[in-house]
Amino acid sequence: MKKEIAKTLYDIIPSQDCMYLMHRFSIHKQLAQIPTSFTLKTDLDLDVLKKAFNIMIERHDCLRLAFTKKDGKLKQYFRDSYTYDVPCKYFRNLQQQEEFCSKDAPKPVNFMKGEIFRIWFFKTAGEGCGIYTNFTHMVIDAMGIAFFYLDLLQVYAALCLGEPMPKKPDSYEEYIIAEHRKLANEIKMAKHEVFYKEYFLKHGEPFYLGVHGHEFLDRYRKKKNNPDIRVPLAYNPLYSKCDFITLHIEPEKAEKIFSYCREKELSPETVLQVGLRAHCSAVNYRVNDFSLMSVCSKRATVKEKNMCGCLAQPIQIRTVLPESCTFDNAVDETAAVRNSLYRHTDYPYTKARTMSLDLFGYSPIQGPNSMMFSWIPLPTGGEYGMEFDFRTYNLERYFTPLYTISMPDPKDGGLNMCYMYRTKLSTKEQIIKMHETTVEAVLKGIENPGITLGELIDLAEK
């Protein structure tokens, strides 16, 4: 009998701990996974693509992760390379394809029982060939998925052409080891802790600006007979049911946003968040205290950008800006806050979250952020070698009232805004209105950078 080789057990790193937090404190276990599809407007040899995926298992060690419990604590280890026979589907049309993907998307990926992904290759009549994946967030994040598709196609092309394999990505195991090394640096962790405490207390207790309006907070105040309550129980897991809608920003409008961002050397997510702020103020008594959670990719280096794995974690962006503040200054201030938080992303989000709860006496289901915001910088400059379509799907459950996923639209150069919203708090009509007022505020601000937040709120209130 072959003796089993003992594997090195690692604690999960801060990025994974964020995802595990959603898993632990949710009734429904699909919150911490990412279902996406990637369709190419061409024909692929699916047998060769299967070979390419098995090479990917060797190239990306995060695809060999496994999880276990030891002394009641979650641990992870890397399995030896293995082969996986990817199943294939053939769809009559796009509707059938989307029905299949949407049905699988909310089914939990049970990483505690060895399932870290589900994957299918498919061909759809009139659409092309594609890949559907449903990864647990414990092994990959959104930017990791974008790179996964790119690297898979590069491996596929090398097989078809008989060329050498592209350069092998860096090891996620080495990244995990480096992360634990950072956590062990007590001096730096203490500095991060001081920063966060000052950051949370700078403007006093925050205010919950619901993307859905003020009615939820009003009801909670009435229930507690306290008109001064600023933050309700927004994350109640009993009311996590979600619907999903994708709304499009036309290429002409999107290019104005991209051009403004190129000039200011910042990400479009910053500008979009200022537009969302105008909407949230308009539907919440014009309160000027705006908070949201924004996903930080933590991929600053070329090595990190060219790597799968789960690196991302949320940052809690809070800005308190007067109505006299101009759009341009609001963008600069939001970017400045984001950049200051980026410098402290080695500090675990879960520790920062616990600190904020303790400072203001909140319960675990209480918090000022009514939104999680994620930007996926899909490459649209021909990196994939051909025209493609990228889609994400409804998890049907989520912990925040709204999860906004924004990304370039590879089909026409526009922008797609995907909204997964709690139906207990928001209606489809409210989400569409929010989208429209957000886009209007952004475009008005770009056309006239000196326009004030107050004037943008006036427009949003109409």
Side-chain angles (χ1 to χ4, degrees), residues 332-350:
D332 290 342
E333 179 61 24
T334 302
V337 172
R338 290 175 60 85
N339 290 337
S340 69
L341 290 165
Y342 284 168
R343 290 192 286 271
H344 296 276
T345 52
D346 288 341
Y347 192 72
Y349 164 77
T350 50

Side-chain angles (χ1 to χ4, degrees), residues 349-364:
Y349 164 77
T350 50
K351 282 193 173 184
R353 175 182 177 273
T354 299
M355 182 194 297
S356 66
L357 295 178
D358 292 342
L359 287 172
F360 300 112
Y362 294 156
S363 80

Side-chain angles (χ1 to χ4, degrees), residues 16-297:
Q16 295 171 309
D17 198 26
C18 298
M19 311 311 162
Y20 191 45
L21 179 71
M22 290 194 290
H23 177 83
R24 281 184 296 157
F25 295 106
S26 62
I27 298 172
H28 306 274
K29 299 303 181 183
Q30 68 264 45
L31 276 67
Q33 61 196 50
I34 318 177
T36 65
S37 69
F38 182 91
T39 306
L40 290 157
K41 304 295 183 179
T42 189
D43 189 42
L44 298 176
D45 185 327
L46 298 190
D47 288 331
V48 176
L49 197 60
K50 286 183 178 185
K51 293 178 183 177
F53 181 72
N54 282 306
I55 293 173
M56 292 287 286
I57 293 173
E58 172 62 33
R59 287 169 64 82
H60 296 273
D61 53 4
C62 66
L63 299 180
R64 304 195 302 272
L65 269 174
F67 298 87
T68 187
K69 288 277 187 78
K70 183 177 182 181
D71 300 327
K73 191 173 181 181
L74 185 64
K75 300 283 186 175
Q76 61 186 326
Y77 61 94
F78 289 86
R79 293 177 286 172
D80 294 331
S81 191
Y82 61 94
T83 58
Y84 185 89
D85 187 16
V86 179
C88 298
K89 290 282 184 179
Y90 298 88
F91 300 115
R92 293 188 302 273
N93 50 48
L94 181 60
Q95 180 181 352
Q96 189 182 42
Q97 172 192 315
E98 290 304 278
E99 286 174 354
F100 172 83
C101 297
S102 297
K103 185 177 180 180
D104 180 82
K107 293 179 181 178
V109 178
N110 198 335
F111 63 88
M112 288 304 300
K113 291 188 177 180
E115 182 186 49
I116 61 171
F117 60 80
R118 291 193 294 272
I119 180 170
W120 282 270
F121 298 150
F122 59 83
K123 291 191 177 185
T124 302
E127 298 295 327
C129 294
I131 308 155
Y132 168 80
T133 63
N134 198 343
F135 282 102
T136 172
H137 225 317
M138 297 293 289
V139 304
I140 203 166
D141 53 33
M143 282 192 68
I145 286 175
F147 180 68
F148 165 84
Y149 287 129
L150 177 60
D151 196 49
L152 177 60
L153 291 177
Q154 290 176 338
V155 170
Y156 171 83
L159 288 174
C160 290
L161 298 172
E163 295 179 349
M165 286 293 120
K167 181 183 176 183
K168 189 174 181 178
D170 285 278
S171 164
Y172 187 54
E173 183 173 13
E174 292 302 317
Y175 181 85
I176 287 173
I177 293 169
E179 284 289 282
H180 285 305
R181 194 178 300 123
K182 292 175 184 177
L183 291 172
N185 190 326
E186 296 180 359
I187 295 175
K188 285 192 175 180
M189 287 299 123
K191 290 180 179 178
H192 293 319
E193 188 172 327
V194 169
F195 164 82
Y196 269 106
K197 186 172 183 179
E198 292 176 351
Y199 174 70
F200 288 136
L201 293 176
K202 181 178 180 180
H203 296 291
E205 185 181 0
F207 193 95
Y208 177 83
L209 258 65
V211 295
H212 43 73
H214 54 76
E215 291 83 1
F216 180 58
L217 176 58
D218 291 344
R219 288 197 300 270
Y220 187 66
R221 285 172 163 179
K222 186 176 182 180
K223 179 181 178 180
K224 294 296 183 179
N225 195 27
N226 183 353
D228 296 324
I229 290 176
R230 297 169 67 87
V231 176
L233 304 178
Y235 309 146
N236 191 329
L238 295 175
Y239 307 116
S240 63
K241 184 175 174 59
C242 290
D243 207 344
F244 187 90
I245 184 173
T246 297
L247 299 173
H248 186 60
I249 300 176
E250 298 86 346
E252 299 78 14
K253 295 178 180 178
E255 179 51 34
K256 291 180 180 179
I257 297 172
F258 295 145
S259 178
Y260 176 82
C261 292
R262 286 193 295 267
E263 184 178 335
K264 293 183 74 71
E265 297 183 341
L266 49 80
S267 169
E269 62 185 308
T270 304
V271 179
L272 294 170
Q273 288 169 10
V274 172
L276 287 163
R277 147 187 215 103
H279 164 80
C280 289
S281 291
V283 298
N284 287 279
Y285 304 118
R286 301 181 75 105
V287 172
N288 66 351
D289 187 345
F290 180 60
S291 298
L292 84 161
M293 282 184 284
S294 185
V295 177
C296 174
S297 70

